[in-house]
Amino acid sequence: MRRLARALALTAATAAAGTLTLLTTPAAQATPPGKPACVTAAATKSFGRGEIALCPQNDGTTRVTGWVEDLLPGKGWGTPDGRCAGWWIETGAKGGTVGPLVCPHFTASHETTYRFDYTFTPQAPVTGAKLNAFTA
């Protein structure tokens, strides 16, 4: 009986230690205090679709990764829409800036999808992103 009780106690202690290890692992991977988390967005609209991640870096830049696709590429103004699909990057009270765009009617290859991975220095912290159609 003592062996059974000892075995159960050891099993419970081992399981508890394993649970504590599992609970503390994500904390080590969490965003450091004072550093904003990545801002992500995904959208599908009649003119385009895509995904974007905007991640603040330690040097004050923001890494921008993702893709955008123009669903109404056309061959110019108004055929079928003649606009570009892209991301508007919001920067809080300062407004925002035009982000990655795909404009197939302006390129020789007429690619409708643009994959991006770059960094930029925003004037204010990034607060969001919206998929928009832009006239270029």
Side-chain angles (χ1 to χ4, degrees), residues 52-118:
I52 191 169
L54 301 131
C55 299
Q57 305 297 294
N58 290 330
D59 62 359
T61 63
T62 295
R63 183 172 180 193
V64 184
T65 58
W67 60 277
V68 62
E69 181 180 11
D70 189 332
L71 297 176
L72 300 171
K75 295 184 180 173
W77 306 115
T79 314
D81 78 346
R83 296 180 292 171
C84 305
W87 289 101
W88 174 256
I89 299 173
E90 299 173 337
T91 54
K94 297 272 184 183
T97 185
V98 176
L101 295 173
V102 62
C103 299
H105 54 282
F106 287 133
T107 62
S109 64
H110 302 294
E111 292 292 324
T112 58
T113 301
Y114 174 51
R115 297 190 182 284
F116 48 87
D117 185 346
Y118 68 94

